[in-house]
């Protein structure tokens, strides 16, 4: 079984400032890692994913994340945020070897970008 | 391509009523999922279907049933709705490593 912990429920930040959203996971098997974004009253959209290879993953809208196996973390970063980045962000994992592709989600981080 | 579609978008039920949430995908994916989203808890898996004809329980299956009608459609049924089932329900489908989500159904049980 896996679990995902998003350490911050809310992150307020000023426009054009950098931001990091933290995610740690626990699993007894190898996992794939994902970040999803949810804009108000909408479904979830994939920002980026780590399957294998380079531990630095680039996604849409200027976001990137780094997989750190020793610290079991997958933190999301953006060097300069915009008002339009205001949304809720979810970190998620799925098992690699079992073929069970259902996602286990963290509780979410609400990013509030202020002018 | 419409992707993943869900009906209805909104629903209000009284305790004890039944209803079925519909989900369809046009991406020819084998796997489909139902999640519920509650404030502060992220999304939790209710049921999933790895392929047509198979279904398995997720983390929170109690009070729900599912039907994988064919490869495209995966429905979620509440036989006797309870206020604890007030939530936003998301359907998703996947082939390899990425899940695609529908727009959600906002359900209120009074």
């Amino acid at each position: 079984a896996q679990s995902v912990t998003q350490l911050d429920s809310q992150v307020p930040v000023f426009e054009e400032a950098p931001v990091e959203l933290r995610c740690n996971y626990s699993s007894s098997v190898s996992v794939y890692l994902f970040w999803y974004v949810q804009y108000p009253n909408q479904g979830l959209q994939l920002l980026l994913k780590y399957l294998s290879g380079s531990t630095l993953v680039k996604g849409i809208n200027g976001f990137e994340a780094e997989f750190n196996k020793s610290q079991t973390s997958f933190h999301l970063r953006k060097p300069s945020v915009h008002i339009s980045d205001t949304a809720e962000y979810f970190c998620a994992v799925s098992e690699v070897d079992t073929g069970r592709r259902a996602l286990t989600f963290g509780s979410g981080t609400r990013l509030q970008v202020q002018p | 391509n419409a992707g993943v579609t869900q009906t209805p978008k909104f629903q209000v039920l009284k305790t004890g009523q039944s209803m079925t949430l519909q989900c369809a995908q046009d991406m020819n994916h084998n796997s489909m999922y139902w999640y519920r989203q509650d404030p502060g808890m992220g999304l939790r898996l209710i049921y999933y279907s790895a392929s047509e004809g198979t279904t398995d329980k997720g983390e929170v299956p109690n009070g729900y049933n599912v039907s994988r009608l064919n490869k495209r459609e995966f429905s979620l049924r509440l036989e006797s709705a309870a206020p604890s089932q007030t939530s936003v329900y998301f359907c998703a489908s996947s082939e390899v490593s990425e899940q695609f989500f529908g727009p959600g159904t906002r359900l209120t049980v009074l």
Side-chain angles (χ1 to χ4, degrees), chain A residues 50-90:
Chain A
Y50 174 79
L51 305 181
S52 65
S54 173
T55 57
L56 183 62
V57 180
K58 294 191 184 297
I60 62 172
N61 301 339
F63 284 94
E64 64 180 32
E66 185 154 21
F67 169 51
N68 188 318
K69 189 173 183 179
S70 63
Q71 298 190 1
T72 59
S73 67
F74 190 54
H75 300 332
L76 181 70
R77 302 186 186 101
K78 186 169 183 178
S80 176
V81 295
H82 303 288
I83 295 286
S84 59
D85 293 322
T86 295
E88 188 145 25
Y89 293 79
F90 292 96

Side-chain angles (χ1 to χ4, degrees), chain B residues 13-17 36 38 64 78 80-87 89 107-110:
Chain B
L13 293 178
K14 294 181 180 177
T15 297
Q17 287 185 317
R36 60 177 287 173
D38 302 293
Y64 305 96
L78 287 71
S80 179
S84 61
Q85 294 178 305
T86 293
S87 188
Y89 291 85
L107 175 67
T108 301
V109 183
L110 302 175

Side-chain angles (χ1 to χ4, degrees), chain B residues 22-26 28-32 49-55 66-75 93:
Chain B
Q22 305 286 354
C23 174
Q25 53 95 4
D26 62 2
N28 203 34
H29 289 163
N30 281 313
S31 301
M32 298 186 73
S49 171
S51 61
E52 186 179 351
T54 68
T55 60
V66 290
S67 296
R68 184 73 183 266
L69 305 168
N70 48 55
K71 193 171 186 179
R72 289 187 66 248
E73 298 171 291
F74 189 37
S75 62
S93 71

